Amino acid sequence: MDDLRIGAIGLGHRRSLAVAAHQEPGRGSRVTAVSDLDETTLLNEAEFFDAKTAETDYRRLLDREDVDAVLVATPDHTHAPIAIDALRAGKAVYLEKPMATTVEDADAVLRAARESGSRLYVGHNMRHMGFVRLMRRLVQQGQIGTPKSVWIRHFVGHGGDFFFKDWHADRSKVNSLLLQKASHDIDAMHWIVDGATEAVQAMGGLTVYGGLPRREPGEPGPEIRPSREQWPPSEQRALNPVMDVEDLSLLNLRLDNGVLAAYQQCHYTPDYWRSFTVIGDAGRMENFGDDPGGSIRLWYAGRRNYDPAGDAEFRIPDAVGGHGGADDEVVREFVRFVREGGATDTSPVAARMAVAAGDMATRSLRGGGALLQVPRLEEAVRAYFENGQVEAG
């Protein structure tokens, strides 16, 4: 079987996805074309992948008949238009999360996939992370009874380095970090408890980074890497010229299966980790670490005081590769789906629901904290994707 010929569009922070897709000949997929706006990056990556096609304009890449599929890993605000162009050009699309920055644009991507018949895959790689898969399995086994609530705390210890020195700090590029960053966690939470958000209420603000020194417009940005050279957060310098996204967000959610959830995100903590707690009517579970070597602990016997050991502990399995092995797994699933179709652990509809929750949460946050309903997806579009991207009947 010939290798799937992939065009990589955007080779910045998430170039690791293209690397994962670039297998040895005969192993299933190869990166044969590259596109990036930065000409130096483009030349370097064309050499790295030995790509015959290198274009600064991705639309010329879409015109090529020797490209079967594209991997879109560009800044968030470009996801929807590039994906729609690629789908209409007949290319299978791997679209990095979030699939769009508004619910309206997410719906437009889904409609384009249905109308074109081109296959769409959204890279919510957390569904392939060991701790998420383990928590989902424990819930499905009934280890804590029926889920009733989820509490998520996301401590983004390097937020000042990764999210406030480039386009992530600009709401015109990301909408909000409550969408950009939290869409991962919201999608994972939906999957763990088998539900989707139907109503949200949020509060937050730009509480630390807003008054710190910024670069002049047009001035080259610093290398983006986690650092403790500028600590505490008030010592951060060379922040993005435009900064109008929140660095602290608090979100309440109601899911369509009755689960109530709370999500908290802070971008100036001294540590970095995700804490998921799932509470059922017969117990609760919590992760201690989200990488291999961590664990999930369960409490299901009554006690008067806190017991850190719990009643059972399950080790997060070992894995190799980015994001606990999830990057390799999500690319592998995409290639298999393009070739064979069938069920996938990721879901374009679920990706839309994560965007919808984050988008409406942002509107609530910036509109005084009102309770807002998540717009419903058109039923015919939902049915198309739930039927494996094939029209029913």
Side-chain angles (χ1 to χ4, degrees):
M1 183 180 293
D2 293 336
D3 290 328
L4 188 72
R5 298 167 297 183
I6 296 177
I9 303 175
L11 290 153
H13 294 318
R14 295 294 283 146
R15 79 179 287 274
S16 58
L17 296 170
V19 173
H22 193 59
Q23 300 293 312
E24 292 294 324
R27 296 292 299 275
S29 63
R30 299 279 293 171
V31 173
T32 59
V34 292
S35 178
D36 197 279
L37 293 177
D38 184 89
E39 293 187 359
T40 300
T41 296
L42 187 63
L43 291 173
N44 290 338
E45 298 296 357
E47 181 179 1
F48 177 86
F49 291 107
D50 192 24
K52 296 180 180 179
T53 300
E55 300 284 359
T56 54
D57 187 340
Y58 73 89
R59 289 167 293 190
R60 289 197 290 269
L61 183 152
L62 298 180
D63 290 336
R64 297 195 61 90
E65 294 184 359
D66 57 354
V67 172
D68 305 311
V70 296
L71 192 159
V72 180
T74 53
D76 294 0
H77 68 295
T78 67
H79 285 183
I82 293 175
I84 290 170
D85 285 347
L87 291 164
R88 289 175 176 168
K91 310 299 183 186
V93 174
Y94 178 110
L95 182 57
E96 176 65 341
K97 72 87 201 167
M99 66 185 299
T101 56
T102 67
V103 63
E104 293 85 3
D105 282 352
D107 287 351
V109 173
L110 295 182
R111 286 194 297 269
R114 182 188 179 205
E115 291 165 1
S116 67
S118 302
R119 287 187 169 169
L120 172 66
Y121 183 98
V122 184
H124 272 284
N125 60 350
M126 273 189 71
R127 291 193 177 207
H128 287 275
M129 290 180 70
F131 93 96
V132 172
R133 299 177 80 84
L134 178 55
M135 294 187 96
R136 173 176 162 84
R137 185 169 72 248
L138 294 172
V139 167
Q140 291 178 325
Q141 291 172 350
Q143 296 272 5
I144 59 171
T146 301
K148 296 296 181 181
S149 185
V150 183
W151 302 346
I152 302 173
R153 296 177 297 164
H154 196 165
F155 304 100
V156 190
H158 55 232
D161 294 301
F162 274 168
F163 296 101
F164 289 87
K165 291 185 176 178
D166 66 2
W167 54 269
H168 291 87
D170 182 346
R171 68 174 63 177
S172 72
K173 305 292 193 298
V174 299
N175 190 341
S176 75
L177 295 175
L178 196 51
L179 185 153
Q180 201 285 333
K181 189 66 172 162
S183 63
H184 257 326
D185 301 307
I186 293 171
D187 178 69
M189 180 263 292
H190 285 169
W191 198 50
I192 289 170
V193 300
D194 194 23
T197 298
E198 64 178 16
V200 296
Q201 180 276 326
M203 299 180 70
L206 184 56
T207 57
V208 168
Y209 297 121
L212 300 184
R214 308 177 191 183
R215 304 189 311 278
E216 292 296 321
E219 182 182 349
E223 181 183 357
I224 304 299
R225 59 184 177 83
S227 170
R228 285 293 174 265
E229 296 172 2
Q230 299 184 43
W231 186 264
S234 59
E235 295 300 315
Q236 283 281 359
R237 299 293 183 267
L239 299 179
N240 200 53
V242 177
M243 191 187 308
D244 54 7
V245 300
E246 294 77 14
D247 55 17
L248 178 66
S249 302
L250 312 174
L251 170 61
N252 295 314
L253 312 97
R254 184 176 70 239
L255 277 57
D256 56 9
N257 59 0
V259 170
L260 297 178
Y263 176 82
Q264 303 168 7
Q265 180 189 99
C266 182
H267 283 266
Y268 46 85
T269 57
D271 52 346
Y272 183 96
W273 65 300
R274 289 180 170 94
S275 172
F276 277 58
T277 296
V278 184
I279 304 171
D281 58 10
R284 76 174 181 93
M285 64 178 175
E286 181 177 354
N287 70 298
F288 289 81
D290 55 13
D291 289 323
S295 67
I296 311 296
R297 295 179 194 167
L298 275 67
W299 292 258
Y300 45 72
R303 57 195 15 100
R304 184 177 299 275
N305 298 312
Y306 175 64
D307 175 6
D311 296 300
E313 184 171 22
F314 297 83
R315 177 184 168 84
I316 298 171
D318 291 335
V320 177
H323 290 93
D327 285 351
D328 288 348
E329 290 296 329
V330 79
V331 170
R332 189 175 297 115
E333 184 175 72
F334 166 67
V335 172
R336 191 269 303 162
F337 174 65
V338 173
R339 286 186 172 282
E340 305 171 9
T344 58
D345 283 340
T346 65
S347 160
V349 168
R352 181 268 188 191
M353 296 307 298
V355 168
D359 184 16
M360 300 311 294
T362 302
R363 300 185 198 193
S364 171
L365 184 156
R366 295 173 183 162
L371 179 68
L372 299 180
Q373 300 296 313
V374 170
R376 296 178 63 87
L377 177 62
E378 182 183 347
E379 191 55 40
V381 176
R382 179 187 297 276
Y384 173 77
F385 285 96
E386 291 181 349
N387 197 43
Q389 300 190 36
V390 177
E391 292 290 358

